[in-house]
Amino acid sequence: MFIINCPYCGERDQTEFTCHGEAHIARPEKPSEVTDEEWGKYLFFRNNPKGMHFERWTHDHGCRRWFNVMRNTVTDNIIKTYKMGEPRPEIPNE
Amino acid sequence: MSNQNRTTYGGKVDRNKPINFTFNGKSYTGYQGDTLASALIANDVHLVGRSFKYHRARGILTAGSEEPNAIVQLGIGARTEPNIRATEIELYEGLEAASQNCWPSVNFDIGAMNNILSRIFPAGFYYKTFKWPPSMWLFYEHFIRKAAGLGQSPTAKNPDRYEQKFFHNDLTIVGAGISGLLAALGAGRSGCKVLLIDENPELGGYLLDYDFSINEKDGKKWIKNITDELNGLSNVTILKRTTAMGYYDYNYLTALEKVTNHHSELSNTLPRERYWRIRSKKVILAQGAFERPLVFADNDRPGIMMASAGQKYLARFGVLPGKSVVLFTNNDHAYMTAYAFVKKGAKVTVIDTRESVNTKITEKCISLNIKIYKSYSIIKTYGDRKVNKIELQKVDKDQGQLIGEIESISTDCILMSGGWNPAVQLFSQSRGKLKYDLKLNTFVPDKLVKDQKIIGSNNGQFNLEENLNESYQAGFMLAKELNFNSVENIKWTGQEEIGFTHSDVEPYMLGKKKITQGSKHFIDFQNDVTAADIFLAQREGYISVEHTKRYTTTGMGTDQGKTSNVNALALMSHIHNKPVDEIGHTTFRPPYAPQTIGAIAGRSVNKLFDPERKTSIHEWHVGNKAVFEDVGQWKRPYYYPKNKENMHDAVKRECLAVRESLGILDASTLGKIDLQGPDTAKFLNMIYTNAWSQLDIGSCRYGIMCNEHGMIFDDGVTTRIGEHHYHMTTTTGGAARVMSWLEEFLQTEWLDMKVFCTSVTEQWSVLSISGPNSRVFLQDLTDINLSKESFPFMKFREGQVCGIKARVFRISFTGELSYEVNVPARYGKFVWEQFIEHGKKYNITPYGTETMHVLRAEKGFIIVGQDTDGSATPIDMNMDWIVSKKKEDFLGKRSFTRPDTIRPDRKKFVGLLINDKKTVLPEGSHIVEKALKQPPMKMLGHVTSSYYSPTLGHPIALAMLQDGLNRMGEQVLIPLMSGKVVEATVSDTIFYDKEGMRNNE
Ligand SMILES: [Zn+2]
């Protein structure tokens, strides 16, 4: 049961949040111009790394904002939380 | 004779306060301070249950939460609880308990035949049985279920109240033995917020039962002094009778507090149990250790118990479990128990697996007349309901053989000690890593997780003085890390007569083949796993520790193998001749001990299980005998039966009233979202499949939302209220989902769009009036000009309705002339009642969701989630007209040209007319090409909606049908569960008023 540092509210219990899968998957600028394969990749393909993972969360029972989380899937340590629109952080050497 | 095994003095029971209880229907008396186990032993009751598989007679093995054998059915009726450890049940007046797992009685048990037939119950029995043909399994199931039950669940509703508490603090300490107490003292004196948890009714742990000294004074006095000081500290919370059950990430713990379980009278104010959810900055584990059984032939008879348990029964409860006692040990520490028993008049013989015992002990034993057999082992025990004799023989360690003459000793109690296993379950749950300690012959903590410490014997540290100092320091050092004032270190001294040290535990594992023959050497008492079973699992290839566990079921009982795991692993190591570290260990998972579901549920039961949402008009519906339907959390009127109408008749009457005159529906549950901002039109263009740029102020438009896969996920009407102001409606069930969907795209994709979404579902009551008389009816109650010219279909007007400021939408879900009147929720009931009163002359008829469904089906309007199932595009639903060809982009658009969505044979939305004009098809029925006697049959589609249409006088159905649009007029077959095959004709989806004249009136 994590403690998640909402970039807007601060540290809160995991029960207040929902995870929405991998982050930094941009919607194609012009969907009509991408191939079926590229569109399929956007729709269906996700990483499932053993280690550092970037994922989207919402603070549903709080500010209702979306933000990103960098989490190590092996230790479940949350390294960083950051606002939407901010760049993907560097993966630290652990 | 009562309490025949009670000592005349000593222990902490109050001999002036007798307590009456019954066990297996027989009455006994114990004393205040007893557990059920101590009271039973005091009354010379040793046979308390039958074992799980072989139904062997079993007694009381331990005196604590690790007990595998003495588990009982506690209480009767609705309060009865199975699998409760007699060793943990505090005695109360009127307590009723019974043995489990035995029929017809514990003394005469038919299942004990299994013991004799044990060759048909080898390890992996269940797996082997499952491999047989299913018909054989049916034969076995009956037999297994009857034999394998562990207690009975109550069948009546639980009358007790359970509560939950959330707790946030600096430091939680699990275990209030001497280590936990000193850590709490160190931290508590620093001023940090401490929670100290212990599963026992009394603080002090194992040292309550042994003689020791701290700073050269009586140790028990110290325990009292420390406890008193902690009780006086306002920053320290102490929870007794509380078991830490789970230890999760980020120092999150759950604990179960037994609040009134030990009371004979129910409390009106207190809950039965309280479930704690604890989040701590730091955690100290100080849970101590469990004594390890020795594995020898027939080591499971009643009267055989752990040495520390014997010590506890004697010291804590003043109960002498036997008068002619054999102590079987591989270490020095257990000799303290031999001394204690002699002091109370028992005759004690020691069988020590080791070749030498130190002189201090040897001399004391001589002085107490205790005979020691060195390098001996018990090789057999006797006694049906209680042990009465043992046989012993010398062990040649080098050869691994028994040598010399077999001797025998009469006895009424065997105390055994195989060393101690730190209680690492919680530590392991928290992802702490373990290592095998070759001196202690057990697993001890190795790598800790963040913000955690493990101290005392829980950490494999058994030296009293070192524990005192380390524990106190651990407490104040953690407080210091949290920036509390550090207290001064104190030097503690501590002494026990015989301390437990690493060097004197002999790795001792009987179970070599020659020794196992004939008798059973139990490893796991609760699940009846013997050394032979472990051997068998290895022979059959279940070598991984996880496989051995599942194949033999060792460690899988309600005790989670607290007494058995380490011995099983040690035996595996011995069999494979590999270090235990290489064998590894299984994963510990919560809960640490069995816990009630009631406590986990807490107050979230009955009405509080899930919130009920009611509209402001709800009371009127109740008063007018509506039958309700759950739609998500909403309670919606389903239909309003009059007199003794059944559902069919009520729905028929309601439908005809709408078509002929005037009906009224409470549509307040409809999701409503207020959208404002300069980019709202642009946003709607992306969210909906159709175009929104040209919508005038005061106009409504129907829209469909698709996900990026191109599948329909919600629909509704959105109205332009002002320049940058829109009112969106969603399905009742989809309101929250749509709100999140809008927010997701605004917050994650189109951060520059200026749109603000507010849920206003509960702010508006929606009264939908429908029928040819709705205009003439409503005109009398409003200042809005309702004429066809002034207020056409799909328009929106604001004005007064019944004197209340209202928003009126001219939209229709029934196909009739309709108005949706929105008033602030606090006026909903008032306006509704006005409508009912003024509508009498038009026979205004309230209708429910079923009538709404029938009327919309007659018109072929879809219900998202009923006619669609997340795999239908708008094109599949023949709604190409709502998919914009001009817009370059909107959510889902790109997917409409994916190979799968342009497949020509996709299922399409069609109508079905049933040929016999009678049968109402069950929704979900399959449509097939050819009806065969039994499946498989080629399926062409399925029925999504099906009703009897009162307007048309025959049944109608909507369906998804492969290539449906090219099958118009064709016959299809629908086989029913009954075997009957129904014939139907494929039609379009609009059954009534195909031209749509009625709602354009
Ligand atoms: Zn927040």
Coordinates of all heavy atoms in Angstrom, one line a residue, chain B residues 643-709:
Chain B
N643 N -53.3 -1.5 -7.7 CA -54.1 -2.7 -7.2 C -53.3 -3.9 -7.1 O -52.3 -3.9 -6.5 CB -55.4 -2.8 -8.0 CG -56.2 -1.5 -8.1 OD1 -56.3 -0.8 -7.1 ND2 -56.7 -1.2 -9.2
K644 N -53.7 -4.9 -7.8 CA -52.9 -6.2 -7.8 C -52.3 -6.5 -9.1 O -52.1 -7.7 -9.4 CB -53.8 -7.3 -7.3 CG -54.0 -7.2 -5.8 CD -54.8 -8.3 -5.2 CE -55.0 -8.2 -3.7 NZ -56.1 -8.9 -3.1
E645 N -51.9 -5.5 -9.8 CA -51.3 -5.7 -11.1 C -50.0 -6.4 -11.0 O -49.2 -6.2 -10.1 CB -51.0 -4.3 -11.8 CG -52.1 -3.7 -12.6 CD -51.7 -2.4 -13.1 OE1 -50.7 -1.8 -12.6 OE2 -52.3 -1.9 -14.1
N646 N -49.7 -7.3 -12.0 CA -48.4 -7.8 -12.1 C -47.6 -6.9 -13.0 O -48.1 -5.9 -13.5 CB -48.4 -9.3 -12.6 CG -49.0 -9.4 -14.0 OD1 -49.1 -8.4 -14.7 ND2 -49.5 -10.5 -14.4
M647 N -46.3 -7.2 -13.1 CA -45.4 -6.3 -13.8 C -45.9 -6.1 -15.3 O -45.9 -5.0 -15.8 CB -44.0 -6.9 -13.8 CG -43.0 -6.0 -14.6 SD -41.3 -6.6 -14.2 CE -40.4 -5.7 -15.5
H648 N -46.2 -7.2 -15.9 CA -46.7 -7.2 -17.3 C -47.8 -6.2 -17.5 O -47.8 -5.3 -18.4 CB -47.0 -8.6 -17.8 CG -47.5 -8.6 -19.2 ND1 -48.8 -8.6 -19.6 CD2 -46.8 -8.6 -20.4 CE1 -48.9 -8.6 -20.9 NE2 -47.7 -8.7 -21.4
D649 N -48.8 -6.3 -16.6 CA -50.0 -5.5 -16.7 C -49.7 -4.0 -16.4 O -50.2 -3.1 -17.1 CB -51.1 -6.0 -15.8 CG -51.6 -7.3 -16.3 OD1 -51.4 -7.7 -17.4 OD2 -52.3 -8.1 -15.4
A650 N -48.9 -3.8 -15.4 CA -48.5 -2.4 -15.1 C -47.8 -1.7 -16.2 O -48.1 -0.6 -16.6 CB -47.7 -2.4 -13.8
V651 N -46.8 -2.5 -16.8 CA -46.0 -1.9 -17.9 C -46.9 -1.6 -19.1 O -46.8 -0.6 -19.7 CB -44.8 -2.8 -18.2 CG1 -44.1 -2.4 -19.5 CG2 -43.8 -2.8 -17.0
K652 N -47.8 -2.5 -19.3 CA -48.7 -2.4 -20.5 C -49.6 -1.1 -20.3 O -49.7 -0.2 -21.2 CB -49.7 -3.6 -20.5 CG -50.6 -3.6 -21.8 CD -51.3 -4.9 -21.8 CE -52.4 -4.8 -22.9 NZ -53.3 -6.0 -22.9
R653 N -50.1 -0.9 -19.1 CA -50.9 0.3 -18.8 C -50.1 1.6 -18.9 O -50.5 2.5 -19.5 CB -51.5 0.1 -17.3 CG -52.3 1.4 -16.8 CD -52.8 1.2 -15.4 NE -51.8 0.7 -14.5 CZ -50.9 1.5 -13.9 NH1 -50.8 2.7 -14.3 NH2 -50.0 1.0 -13.1
E654 N -48.9 1.5 -18.3 CA -48.0 2.7 -18.4 C -47.7 3.1 -19.8 O -47.7 4.2 -20.2 CB -46.7 2.5 -17.6 CG -47.0 2.4 -16.1 CD -45.7 2.0 -15.3 OE1 -44.6 1.9 -15.9 OE2 -45.9 1.6 -14.1
C655 N -47.3 2.0 -20.7 CA -47.0 2.3 -22.1 C -48.1 2.9 -22.8 O -47.9 3.9 -23.5 CB -46.6 1.0 -22.8 SG -45.0 0.3 -22.3
L656 N -49.3 2.4 -22.6 CA -50.5 2.9 -23.4 C -50.8 4.3 -23.0 O -51.2 5.1 -23.8 CB -51.7 1.9 -23.2 CG -51.4 0.6 -23.9 CD1 -52.6 -0.4 -23.6 CD2 -51.2 0.7 -25.4
A657 N -50.6 4.6 -21.7 CA -50.9 5.9 -21.2 C -50.0 7.0 -21.9 O -50.5 8.1 -22.3 CB -50.7 6.0 -19.7
V658 N -48.7 6.6 -22.1 CA -47.8 7.5 -22.7 C -48.2 7.7 -24.2 O -48.3 8.8 -24.7 CB -46.4 7.1 -22.6 CG1 -45.4 8.0 -23.4 CG2 -45.9 7.0 -21.1
R659 N -48.5 6.6 -24.9 CA -48.8 6.7 -26.3 C -50.2 7.4 -26.5 O -50.3 8.1 -27.5 CB -48.9 5.3 -26.9 CG -47.5 4.5 -26.9 CD -46.8 4.8 -28.2 NE -45.5 4.1 -28.2 CZ -44.3 4.7 -28.2 NH1 -44.2 6.1 -28.2 NH2 -43.2 4.0 -28.3
E660 N -51.1 7.3 -25.6 CA -52.4 7.8 -25.8 C -52.7 9.1 -25.2 O -53.4 10.0 -25.7 CB -53.5 6.8 -25.2 CG -53.6 5.6 -26.1 CD -54.3 4.4 -25.4 OE1 -54.9 4.6 -24.3 OE2 -54.3 3.3 -26.0
S661 N -52.0 9.4 -24.0 CA -52.3 10.7 -23.4 C -51.0 11.4 -22.8 O -50.4 12.2 -23.4 CB -53.4 10.5 -22.3 OG -53.6 11.7 -21.7
L662 N -50.6 10.9 -21.6 CA -49.6 11.6 -20.8 C -48.9 10.7 -19.8 O -49.6 10.1 -18.9 CB -50.2 12.8 -20.1 CG -49.2 13.8 -19.4 CD1 -48.2 14.4 -20.3 CD2 -50.1 14.9 -18.7
G663 N -47.6 10.6 -19.9 CA -46.9 9.9 -18.8 C -45.8 10.8 -18.2 O -45.4 11.8 -18.8
I664 N -45.3 10.4 -17.1 CA -44.3 11.2 -16.4 C -43.2 10.3 -15.8 O -43.5 9.2 -15.2 CB -44.9 12.1 -15.4 CG1 -43.7 13.0 -14.7 CG2 -45.7 11.4 -14.3 CD1 -44.2 14.2 -13.9
L665 N -42.0 10.6 -16.1 CA -40.8 9.8 -15.6 C -39.9 10.6 -14.8 O -39.6 11.7 -15.2 CB -40.1 9.2 -16.9 CG -38.8 8.5 -16.6 CD1 -39.1 7.0 -16.2 CD2 -37.9 8.5 -17.9
D666 N -39.4 10.1 -13.7 CA -38.4 10.7 -13.0 C -37.0 10.4 -13.6 O -36.5 9.3 -13.5 CB -38.4 10.3 -11.5 CG -37.3 10.9 -10.7 OD1 -36.6 11.8 -11.2 OD2 -37.3 10.6 -9.4
A667 N -36.5 11.3 -14.4 CA -35.2 11.1 -15.1 C -34.0 11.8 -14.4 O -33.0 12.1 -15.1 CB -35.4 11.6 -16.6
S668 N -34.2 12.1 -13.2 CA -33.2 12.9 -12.4 C -31.8 12.2 -12.4 O -30.8 12.8 -12.2 CB -33.6 13.1 -11.0 OG -34.9 13.7 -11.0
T669 N -31.8 10.8 -12.5 CA -30.6 10.1 -12.4 C -29.6 10.3 -13.6 O -28.5 9.9 -13.5 CB -30.8 8.6 -12.2 OG1 -31.5 8.1 -13.4 CG2 -31.7 8.3 -11.0
L670 N -30.2 10.7 -14.7 CA -29.4 11.0 -15.9 C -28.1 11.8 -15.5 O -28.2 12.8 -14.7 CB -30.3 11.9 -16.8 CG -30.3 11.7 -18.3 CD1 -30.9 10.3 -18.6 CD2 -31.1 12.7 -18.9
G671 N -27.0 11.4 -16.0 CA -25.8 12.1 -15.7 C -25.8 13.5 -16.4 O -26.3 13.6 -17.5
K672 N -25.4 14.5 -15.7 CA -25.4 15.9 -16.2 C -24.1 16.6 -15.9 O -23.6 16.6 -14.8 CB -26.6 16.7 -15.6 CG -27.9 16.1 -15.9 CD -29.1 16.8 -15.2 CE -29.4 16.3 -13.8 NZ -29.8 14.9 -13.7
I673 N -23.5 17.1 -17.0 CA -22.2 17.8 -16.8 C -22.3 19.2 -17.4 O -22.7 19.3 -18.6 CB -21.1 17.0 -17.5 CG1 -20.9 15.6 -16.8 CG2 -19.7 17.7 -17.4 CD1 -20.1 14.6 -17.6
D674 N -21.9 20.1 -16.6 CA -21.9 21.5 -17.1 C -20.5 21.8 -17.7 O -19.5 21.7 -17.0 CB -22.2 22.4 -15.9 CG -22.4 23.9 -16.3 OD1 -23.5 24.3 -16.6 OD2 -21.3 24.6 -16.2
L675 N -20.5 22.3 -19.0 CA -19.3 22.5 -19.6 C -19.2 24.0 -20.0 O -20.1 24.6 -20.6 CB -19.2 21.7 -20.9 CG -19.2 20.2 -20.8 CD1 -19.7 19.6 -22.1 CD2 -17.8 19.7 -20.5
Q676 N -18.1 24.7 -19.6 CA -17.9 26.1 -19.9 C -16.5 26.4 -20.3 O -15.6 25.7 -19.9 CB -18.3 26.9 -18.6 CG -19.7 26.7 -18.2 CD -20.2 27.8 -17.2 OE1 -19.9 28.9 -17.3 NE2 -20.9 27.3 -16.1
G677 N -16.4 27.4 -21.1 CA -15.1 27.8 -21.6 C -15.1 28.0 -23.1 O -15.9 27.4 -23.8
P678 N -14.1 28.9 -23.6 CA -14.1 29.2 -25.0 C -13.9 28.1 -25.9 O -14.2 28.2 -27.1 CB -13.0 30.3 -25.0 CG -12.2 30.1 -23.8 CD -13.1 29.6 -22.8
D679 N -13.2 27.0 -25.4 CA -12.9 25.9 -26.4 C -13.9 24.8 -26.3 O -13.6 23.7 -26.8 CB -11.5 25.4 -26.0 CG -10.4 26.4 -26.3 OD1 -10.5 27.1 -27.4 OD2 -9.5 26.6 -25.5
T680 N -15.0 25.0 -25.7 CA -16.0 23.9 -25.4 C -16.4 23.3 -26.8 O -16.5 22.0 -26.9 CB -17.2 24.3 -24.6 OG1 -16.7 25.0 -23.4 CG2 -18.0 23.1 -24.1
A681 N -16.8 24.1 -27.7 CA -17.3 23.5 -29.0 C -16.2 22.7 -29.7 O -16.4 21.5 -30.1 CB -17.7 24.6 -29.9
K682 N -15.0 23.2 -29.6 CA -13.8 22.5 -30.2 C -13.6 21.1 -29.5 O -13.4 20.1 -30.1 CB -12.6 23.3 -30.0 CG -11.4 23.0 -30.8 CD -10.3 24.1 -30.6 CE -8.9 23.5 -30.7 NZ -7.9 24.4 -30.1
F683 N -13.8 21.2 -28.2 CA -13.6 20.0 -27.3 C -14.7 19.0 -27.6 O -14.4 17.8 -27.8 CB -13.7 20.4 -25.8 CG -13.6 19.3 -24.8 CD1 -12.5 18.5 -24.8 CD2 -14.6 19.1 -23.9 CE1 -12.4 17.5 -23.9 CE2 -14.5 18.1 -22.9 CZ -13.4 17.3 -23.0
L684 N -16.0 19.5 -27.7 CA -17.1 18.5 -28.1 C -16.9 17.9 -29.4 O -17.2 16.7 -29.6 CB -18.4 19.3 -28.0 CG -18.9 19.7 -26.6 CD1 -20.2 20.6 -26.8 CD2 -19.1 18.6 -25.7
N685 N -16.3 18.6 -30.3 CA -16.0 18.1 -31.7 C -15.0 16.9 -31.6 O -15.1 16.0 -32.4 CB -15.4 19.2 -32.5 CG -16.4 19.8 -33.4 OD1 -17.4 19.2 -33.7 ND2 -16.2 21.1 -33.8
M686 N -14.1 16.9 -30.6 CA -13.2 15.8 -30.4 C -13.8 14.7 -29.7 O -13.5 13.5 -29.9 CB -11.9 16.3 -29.7 CG -11.0 17.2 -30.5 SD -10.4 16.4 -32.0 CE -9.4 15.1 -31.3
I687 N -14.7 15.0 -28.8 CA -15.3 14.0 -27.9 C -16.4 13.2 -28.6 O -16.6 12.0 -28.4 CB -15.8 14.6 -26.6 CG1 -14.7 15.2 -25.7 CG2 -16.7 13.7 -25.8 CD1 -13.8 14.1 -25.1
Y688 N -17.3 13.9 -29.3 CA -18.4 13.3 -30.0 C -18.1 13.0 -31.4 O -17.2 13.6 -32.0 CB -19.6 14.2 -30.0 CG -20.4 14.3 -28.7 CD1 -20.6 15.5 -28.0 CD2 -21.0 13.1 -28.1 CE1 -21.3 15.5 -26.8 CE2 -21.7 13.2 -26.9 CZ -21.9 14.4 -26.3 OH -22.6 14.4 -25.1
T689 N -18.8 12.0 -32.0 CA -18.5 11.6 -33.4 C -19.1 12.6 -34.4 O -18.6 12.6 -35.5 CB -19.0 10.2 -33.7 OG1 -20.5 10.3 -33.5 CG2 -18.4 9.2 -32.8
N690 N -20.1 13.4 -34.0 CA -20.7 14.3 -35.0 C -20.2 15.7 -34.8 O -19.4 16.0 -33.9 CB -22.3 14.2 -34.8 CG -22.7 14.3 -33.4 OD1 -21.9 14.3 -32.5 ND2 -24.0 14.5 -33.2
A691 N -20.7 16.6 -35.6 CA -20.2 18.0 -35.6 C -20.9 18.9 -34.6 O -22.1 18.8 -34.5 CB -20.2 18.6 -37.0
W692 N -20.2 19.8 -33.9 CA -20.8 20.7 -32.9 C -20.6 22.1 -33.2 O -21.1 23.0 -32.4 CB -20.3 20.3 -31.5 CG -20.8 18.9 -31.2 CD1 -20.4 17.7 -31.6 CD2 -22.0 18.7 -30.4 NE1 -21.2 16.7 -31.1 CE2 -22.2 17.3 -30.3 CE3 -22.9 19.5 -29.6 CZ2 -23.2 16.7 -29.6 CZ3 -23.9 18.9 -28.9 CH2 -24.1 17.5 -28.9
S693 N -19.8 22.5 -34.2 CA -19.4 23.9 -34.4 C -20.6 24.7 -34.7 O -20.7 25.9 -34.4 CB -18.4 24.0 -35.5 OG -17.6 22.9 -35.5
Q694 N -21.6 24.2 -35.4 CA -22.8 25.0 -35.9 C -24.0 25.0 -35.0 O -25.0 25.6 -35.3 CB -23.2 24.4 -37.3 CG -22.1 24.4 -38.3 CD -21.5 25.7 -38.5 OE1 -22.1 26.7 -38.6 NE2 -20.1 25.7 -38.7
L695 N -23.9 24.4 -33.8 CA -25.1 24.3 -32.9 C -25.4 25.7 -32.3 O -24.6 26.4 -31.8 CB -24.8 23.4 -31.8 CG -26.0 23.0 -30.9 CD1 -27.0 22.1 -31.7 CD2 -25.5 22.3 -29.6
D696 N -26.7 26.2 -32.6 CA -27.1 27.5 -32.1 C -27.3 27.5 -30.6 O -27.6 26.4 -30.0 CB -28.4 27.9 -32.7 CG -28.3 28.0 -34.2 OD1 -27.2 28.4 -34.7 OD2 -29.3 27.6 -34.9
I697 N -27.2 28.6 -30.0 CA -27.6 28.8 -28.6 C -29.1 28.4 -28.5 O -29.9 28.9 -29.3 CB -27.3 30.2 -28.1 CG1 -25.8 30.4 -28.1 CG2 -27.9 30.4 -26.7 CD1 -25.4 31.9 -27.8
G698 N -29.5 27.6 -27.5 CA -30.9 27.2 -27.4 C -31.2 25.9 -28.2 O -32.4 25.5 -28.2
S699 N -30.2 25.2 -28.7 CA -30.5 24.0 -29.5 C -29.8 22.8 -28.8 O -28.8 22.9 -28.1 CB -29.9 24.1 -30.9 OG -30.7 25.0 -31.6
C700 N -30.5 21.7 -29.0 CA -30.0 20.4 -28.4 C -29.5 19.5 -29.5 O -30.0 19.6 -30.7 CB -31.1 19.7 -27.7 SG -32.2 20.7 -26.7
R701 N -28.5 18.6 -29.2 CA -28.1 17.7 -30.2 C -27.7 16.4 -29.5 O -27.2 16.4 -28.4 CB -26.8 18.2 -30.9 CG -26.3 17.4 -32.0 CD -25.4 18.1 -33.0 NE -26.2 19.1 -33.8 CZ -25.6 20.0 -34.6 NH1 -24.3 20.1 -34.6 NH2 -26.4 20.9 -35.2
Y702 N -28.1 15.3 -30.2 CA -27.8 13.9 -29.7 C -26.3 13.6 -30.1 O -25.9 13.9 -31.2 CB -28.8 12.9 -30.2 CG -28.4 11.5 -29.9 CD1 -28.6 11.0 -28.6 CD2 -27.9 10.6 -30.9 CE1 -28.3 9.7 -28.3 CE2 -27.6 9.3 -30.6 CZ -27.8 8.8 -29.3 OH -27.5 7.5 -29.0
G703 N -25.6 13.0 -29.2 CA -24.2 12.7 -29.6 C -23.8 11.3 -29.0 O -24.4 10.8 -28.1
I704 N -22.9 10.7 -29.7 CA -22.3 9.4 -29.3 C -20.8 9.6 -29.0 O -20.1 10.2 -29.8 CB -22.6 8.3 -30.4 CG1 -24.0 7.8 -30.2 CG2 -21.5 7.2 -30.3 CD1 -24.3 6.5 -31.0
M705 N -20.4 9.0 -27.9 CA -19.0 9.0 -27.6 C -18.4 7.7 -27.9 O -18.9 6.7 -27.5 CB -18.7 9.3 -26.1 CG -19.1 10.7 -25.7 SD -18.7 10.9 -23.9 CE -19.7 12.4 -23.6
C706 N -17.2 7.7 -28.5 CA -16.5 6.4 -28.7 C -15.1 6.5 -28.0 O -14.6 7.6 -27.9 CB -16.3 6.2 -30.2 SG -17.8 5.8 -31.1
N707 N -14.6 5.4 -27.7 CA -13.2 5.3 -27.2 C -12.3 5.3 -28.4 O -12.8 5.3 -29.5 CB -13.0 4.2 -26.2 CG -13.3 2.8 -26.8 OD1 -13.3 2.7 -28.0 ND2 -13.6 1.9 -26.0
E708 N -11.0 5.3 -28.1 CA -10.1 5.3 -29.2 C -10.1 4.1 -30.1 O -9.6 4.0 -31.2 CB -8.6 5.5 -28.7 CG -8.4 7.0 -28.2 CD -8.1 7.9 -29.4 OE1 -8.9 8.0 -30.3 OE2 -7.1 8.6 -29.3
H709 N -10.7 3.0 -29.6 CA -10.9 1.8 -30.4 C -12.1 1.9 -31.3 O -12.4 1.0 -32.1 CB -11.1 0.6 -29.5 CG -10.0 0.3 -28.5 ND1 -10.0 -0.7 -27.6 CD2 -8.9 1.0 -28.3 CE1 -8.9 -0.6 -26.8 NE2 -8.2 0.4 -27.3

